[in-house]
Amino acid sequence: MTDNVITFVGAGPGNPKLITLLGREKLEEADLVVYAGSLVNPEVVNYCKGEKIDSYGLTLDEITKKMADAIKEGKKVVRLHSGDPSLYGNVVEQMEELKKYDITVERVPGVSSVFATAAALGTQLTLNGVSDTLIITRPAGKTLEEDDLKGLSRHNSTMAVFLGTQKIEEIMEKVEYSDDTPVAVVFHASWPDQKIVYGTVADIAQKVKDEGIIRSAMILIGGVVDPVDYRRSHLYGVAQEPL
């Protein structure tokens, strides 16, 4: 880390071993870590032996000032986001605010919860003969006036829905997949309390409600959830061309 530089680190999906080596190194070096509340496993936060600040409930200005003040004091600062900061991590607006203090940002990518979800389900997000496309999206909410779940679902591709557990009934009503399309909801993928709920577009909302899951879960829709009719990959054929 150099002067006037803050490091944004992706904490990974939850399991403390799923942070990158570089990410852990930055945390261990840090004098201050500002972390994204309960979205980040406390075990990951504790890789930092210095000061730790939970950013839950703080405004953007408050978060920025705390980090900028620490930099002025010559401290090494890490902003710790869940998963990978490039997905629903509002990193660009934070970077813009930090520019006002002549502070630049270096980024350390993290393992996204969408990949931990695929691992938990024992499947692929893209699968030959089922879906060659992954759509990552979220429902409308406080920071998104209107979503395109209906239009995106017409592609009949794999869809990963972030931040949608509380609106799962509304999501299933919007999407235009057939009612029997497989759906899985994975709560806290890779955490010790991970929970998986399987269903279809027609019944998943009630099943999730019955399980009491209202947040911190990924919704995965599409044939990859229950891969039956797929084609073998040419990669592992008898005769292969050089890659």
Side-chain angles (χ1 to χ4, degrees):
M1 237 180 261
T2 58
D3 291 344
N4 280 9
V5 175
I6 287 175
T7 305
F8 280 33
V9 173
N15 185 317
K17 293 183 179 180
L18 288 178
I19 190 172
T20 64
L21 290 173
L22 180 57
R24 178 167 178 170
E25 179 182 298
K26 295 294 185 182
L27 287 175
E28 290 172 342
E29 293 174 351
D31 300 302
L32 170 66
V33 170
V34 181
Y35 64 97
S38 62
L39 296 175
V40 179
N41 190 327
E43 290 185 47
V44 177
V45 179
N46 287 334
Y47 289 143
C48 169
K49 302 307 177 187
E51 184 183 3
K52 307 168 188 73
I53 295 176
D54 183 346
S55 65
Y56 179 78
L58 298 179
T59 65
L60 178 59
D61 287 343
E62 289 170 336
I63 293 169
T64 304
K65 188 169 189 312
K66 286 181 184 294
M67 294 192 293
D69 287 347
I71 287 290
K72 285 180 183 177
E73 294 170 8
K75 294 180 178 179
K76 294 179 179 179
V77 179
V78 166
R79 174 65 165 134
L80 185 62
H81 281 266
S82 61
D84 180 90
S86 66
L87 285 172
Y88 308 111
N90 73 314
V91 289
V92 171
E93 59 187 283
Q94 292 179 74
M95 290 165 65
E96 286 298 317
E97 287 300 310
L98 288 166
K99 282 181 185 177
K100 297 175 183 178
Y101 295 89
D102 294 319
I103 295 172
T104 57
V105 172
E106 65 173 357
R107 299 263 294 273
V108 178
V111 177
S112 171
S113 58
V114 71
F115 303 127
T117 293
L121 297 174
T123 191
Q124 298 177 208
L125 296 170
T126 58
L127 185 59
N128 202 14
V130 178
S131 175
D132 293 313
T133 302
L134 169 65
I135 295 171
I136 294 175
T137 189
R138 57 162 294 186
K142 290 181 180 179
T143 58
L144 180 66
E145 290 184 7
E146 188 175 343
D147 60 54
D148 191 28
L149 287 163
K150 188 172 188 141
L152 291 171
S153 67
R154 292 174 185 147
H155 296 283
N156 208 33
S157 302
T158 306
M159 181 180 286
V161 184
F162 282 70
L163 307 169
T165 322
Q166 288 182 308
K167 298 186 175 184
I168 190 165
E169 187 171 2
E170 179 183 328
I171 291 168
M172 294 306 136
E173 288 173 355
K174 280 187 178 181
V175 296
E176 294 193 356
Y177 293 93
S178 62
D179 284 350
D180 61 352
T181 300
V183 182
V185 173
V186 181
F187 169 79
H188 266 184
S190 86
W191 292 61
D193 59 347
Q194 172 184 289
K195 183 183 289 187
I196 300 173
V197 180
Y198 288 98
T200 64
V201 167
D203 63 18
I204 191 67
Q206 186 60 50
K207 288 184 175 182
V208 168
K209 183 179 179 180
D210 291 344
E211 290 291 336
I213 299 173
I214 58 172
R215 62 177 63 86
S216 302
M218 176 72 63
I219 303 169
L220 195 68
I221 311 172
V224 300
V225 171
D226 184 22
V228 179
D229 297 322
Y230 62 92
R231 294 195 299 270
R232 287 183 177 272
S233 170
H234 294 297
L235 272 178
Y236 305 110
V238 176
Q240 296 184 40
E241 296 293 329
L243 297 176

